[in-house]
Amino acid sequence: MDATGERTTAPRLSWPVDLAPGATVTLRWRLTVEDPHAVVAAPAGPPSWSDPEVRADDRRLTRLLDRSLADLRGLRLADPARPADVFLGAGVPWFLTLFGRDSLWAARMMLPLGTELAAGTLRVLARRQGTRVDPATGEAPGKILHELRRHEFATFDGGLRLPPAYYGTVDATMLWISLLHDAWRWGLGTDQVEPLLPHLEAALGWLADHADADGDGLVEYVDTTGHGLSNQGWKDSGDAVRFRDGRLAQAPIVLAEVQGYAYRAAVDAAALLDAFDRPGADRWRGYADRLAEKFRATFWVDGPHGPQPALALDRDKRPVDSLTSNIGHLLGTGLLSADESAQVAALLTTDALAGGFGLRTMSTDDAGFSPLSYHCGSIWTHDTAIVLAGLARAGFADAALRLAEGLLTAAEAFDYRLPELYGGDDRAMVGRPVPYPAACRPQAWSAAATVMLVQAGVGLYPDVPAGRVTVRPLAGPELGALTVDRFRVAGAPIDVHVDRSGHPTVTGLRPASRSTRPPAQPRPSPPPAPPRPAPPPLPADHRPTPSMMKLPPPAPAGHGDNFMITRAGRVRRRVRRPPSRRWG
């Protein structure tokens, strides 16, 4: 590149060498690149996240984590204007830059290893938060960026042309809000949260003033340029939103999972506004309640496996009735009632969705299904992990374990570097997952999904502001024993051990924290009651009420804090010892 950033002819470097018989010569060279027009830069130092040690009966999990963390180290990028603010580039080779949705999800998955990556990602995107209405770029006040490049991005046929800074995403703004909230729950300090609160309020302004163009109470999108992304959720290919009979839905589009993101963002924002004495919390809780009522009234349809949320609503507000993985993203948002969550969990365990090496993006019952379709039948690593984590936290262990086994089997086939996506073929018909030829590998949210899988395995869910940690392990008889050393909660190392019976031990909790182990949810059954009428939606962090357990007094100096959560609901201290069995 020359000084203007344009391509030039590369110079040729040569060295004359006189080499006598038996002699050796060593040549060394160093290249320093200075690019004043770069939109991303290499980070200055090593990763800020912790380097956990994992011991598992299922050795595939440890191998997958080691490879994933190595790949994530190579995907780190920084803001050239603020090199200390590090984020994850979306993937290699196509998307090694800042992508709002991808970078946010990846940072969220990495929270068990520390909050620094989340803080850097939040700040980088906050500096590029929209300030004006610009139809050409999709920018709007308070909106979070979709992607950042040096030049315009254009396909060969010219059908897709995206400006260097493009805002064509319907969900990144809500995901930014929830990442700020979740990082705060994991212990992000007040000194880092408070400077971001004006950006939180700006993001809420976008949700209130720009996300619902027709004022019907639902979040929608439409590309008005004719050359931007026609679909602006995470499934952003042009044919991603299809009816059961294969017809394409016409925009504006109201995606199911986006309503769940919006509900949770409103509730998360209300919690932050309350905690930091800022106005507006009641307004956003009311917004969430109205959104849940609207969703319940418009999205549920009858499907081949019983009642189901539609993939979307089209421009005429007709439910797009295909069965897709999108509905799994609703789990844990608070948008669904308990009965609705159980029905969604049952749908996600059907062979039509879960019969491959993970969760298919579209069911085999739908006319648009193809195992190697980018978004209509393939399996995406991050999508499977997000849904798996939602199932595990909600107590649907069997459904979560089925997806976990699919991911681990796929990881083995891909040499423990899970790609962006792979084929959704039936496991009974093929012995290993079919590669998708153009998939990014490595990709940030595919690699970070391993951390989310490990977190679901030990079931550690902290709420530092409330002084509470909930433990609901997925490990146990089916997954085997699992030990994780050096998770981080509020900057402190936390060790978690789950034995083969599913019995958890947490080491390193500070005395201000409390550990709870909520009861498991009943297993989903295929024929649940119809979802309408349904009870009012539950708060976003609802769980069955556990018995609160007081922590014992701090240990003597040199012992550390170790709390065993027993099946009887008691907490007792014991001296930390090495595991009694040999680990793989």
Side-chain angles (χ1 to χ4, degrees):
M1 300 286 183
D2 63 16
T4 66
E6 298 301 323
R7 297 181 184 276
T8 60
T9 302
R12 181 176 179 179
L13 304 178
S14 62
W15 292 265
V17 176
D18 294 326
L19 191 61
T24 61
V25 172
T26 301
L27 301 177
R28 294 185 178 90
W29 61 276
R30 181 190 300 261
L31 177 66
T32 301
V33 177
E34 295 182 1
D35 184 357
H37 301 283
V39 295
V40 297
S48 58
W49 56 73
S50 70
D51 186 15
E53 180 181 355
V54 175
R55 300 179 294 282
D57 280 355
D58 193 329
R59 298 186 182 188
R60 296 174 299 178
L61 191 57
T62 58
R63 292 166 182 160
L64 178 59
L65 182 66
D66 289 345
R67 185 66 177 268
S68 297
L69 291 178
D71 285 339
L72 288 165
R73 285 192 285 271
L75 290 172
R76 293 176 306 130
L77 296 172
D79 185 342
R82 299 286 192 279
D85 285 341
V86 175
F87 59 93
L88 290 172
V92 174
W94 313 117
F95 308 121
L96 192 58
T97 186
L98 176 64
F99 270 74
R101 179 189 304 116
D102 300 54
S103 299
L104 287 164
W105 263 122
R108 196 166 168 183
M109 293 170 173
M110 292 287 284
L111 281 171
L113 306 187
T115 59
E116 294 85 355
L117 178 66
T121 305
L122 290 164
R123 287 192 290 263
V124 168
L125 288 167
R127 282 194 284 273
R128 293 166 175 81
Q129 191 172 28
T131 59
R132 62 195 178 102
V133 174
D134 184 355
T137 65
E139 182 179 356
K143 195 175 187 183
I144 294 298
L145 182 81
H146 175 59
E147 64 182 275
L148 182 67
R149 298 181 185 270
R150 178 194 294 267
H151 301 297
E152 178 187 78
F153 173 82
T155 55
F156 291 115
D157 61 6
L160 181 67
R161 297 196 320 276
L162 306 181
Y166 182 55
Y167 289 79
T169 168
V170 71
D171 53 11
T173 306
M174 285 93 78
L175 294 174
W176 188 96
I177 293 171
S178 289
L179 176 60
L180 177 61
H181 172 269
D182 288 0
W184 173 61
R185 293 268 295 247
W186 276 89
L188 184 66
T190 299
D191 60 330
Q192 297 192 68
V193 175
E194 283 187 327
L196 293 170
L197 294 178
H199 297 280
L200 166 68
E201 291 165 333
L204 290 172
W206 174 83
L207 187 57
D209 300 333
H210 300 279
D212 178 15
D214 60 7
D216 67 346
L218 298 169
V219 178
E220 63 222 9
Y221 66 82
V222 61
D223 171 49
T224 60
T225 68
H227 55 76
L229 291 172
S230 57
N231 284 313
Q232 297 185 0
W234 84 259
K235 295 179 181 178
D236 57 5
S237 56
D239 63 351
V241 184
R242 292 175 173 268
F243 287 86
R244 189 182 305 164
D245 61 10
R247 289 176 296 124
L248 294 179
Q250 300 300 311
I253 299 292
V254 183
L255 286 173
E257 80 275 15
V258 169
Q259 313 316 305
Y261 298 162
Y263 180 99
R264 186 172 170 198
V267 175
D268 289 348
L272 286 164
L273 294 172
D274 274 342
F276 289 88
D277 295 322
R278 298 176 88 101
D282 289 342
R283 173 193 179 190
W284 288 104
R285 280 187 284 265
Y287 170 94
D289 290 342
R290 292 188 299 275
L291 178 58
E293 293 172 3
K294 184 73 173 182
F295 183 91
R296 187 165 291 116
T298 56
F299 266 83
W300 283 89
V301 298
D302 292 325
H305 304 281
Q308 68 177 60
L311 163 61
L313 305 181
D314 73 355
R315 66 182 176 189
D316 298 317
K317 305 301 178 183
R318 293 175 300 184
V320 180
D321 56 353
S322 52
L323 178 60
T324 66
S325 64
N326 300 57
I327 64 173
H329 290 232
L330 298 172
L331 294 170
T333 63
L335 186 68
L336 302 178
S337 70
D339 287 343
E340 291 166 347
S341 294
Q343 170 63 352
V344 167
L347 293 166
L348 294 168
T349 61
T350 60
D351 286 340
L353 278 177
F357 295 89
L359 186 67
R360 294 186 178 106
T361 45
M362 178 175 281
S363 85
T364 56
D365 297 326
D366 289 285
F369 171 81
S370 172
L372 282 177
S373 166
Y374 196 57
H375 288 131
C376 297
S378 60
I379 293 171
W380 286 62
T381 301
H382 87 285
D383 185 37
T384 300
I386 289 168
V387 175
L388 181 162
L391 288 165
R393 188 166 187 178
F396 301 110
D398 289 347
L401 285 165
R402 180 176 184 179
L403 296 182
E405 175 59 28
L407 279 184
L408 290 171
T409 303
E412 198 171 17
F414 287 112
D415 196 24
Y416 298 99
R417 174 179 279 166
L418 281 166
E420 175 188 15
L421 72 156
Y422 46 91
D425 304 88
D426 197 309
R427 291 186 67 169
M429 297 180 64
V430 296
R432 56 191 293 131
V434 176
Y436 186 88
C440 283
R441 184 169 176 260
Q443 195 190 39
W445 60 10
S446 294
T450 307
V451 179
M452 180 173 266
L453 175 57
V454 172
Q455 182 198 356
V458 297
L460 187 75
Y461 306 106
D463 183 355
V464 171
R468 181 175 64 245
V469 174
T470 300
V471 181
R472 189 200 288 276
L474 189 60
E478 295 86 358
L479 190 60
L482 176 61
T483 296
V484 180
D485 294 342
R486 296 189 297 277
F487 267 4
R488 281 188 195 163
V489 177
I494 299 293
D495 302 339
V496 188
H497 167 61
V498 182
D499 66 21
R500 289 171 179 165
S501 69
H503 187 89
T505 305
V506 183
T507 306
L509 287 175
R510 294 177 176 177
S513 302
R514 294 173 294 173
S515 295
T516 69
R517 190 180 183 192
Q521 292 275 14
R523 296 181 181 182
S525 55
R532 295 192 299 263
L538 302 172
D541 59 351
H542 171 78
R543 292 288 170 272
T545 304
S547 58
M548 304 304 296
M549 294 176 282
K550 295 181 180 180
L551 297 185
H559 285 261
D561 292 329
N562 188 303
F563 308 105
M564 175 174 281
I565 305 168
T566 69
R567 291 191 181 279
R570 294 178 288 110
V571 180
R572 69 176 185 267
R573 182 180 304 283
R574 71 177 183 181
V575 178
R576 184 179 181 185
R577 299 184 180 90
S580 58
R581 65 174 61 91
R582 227 171 148 165
W583 300 91

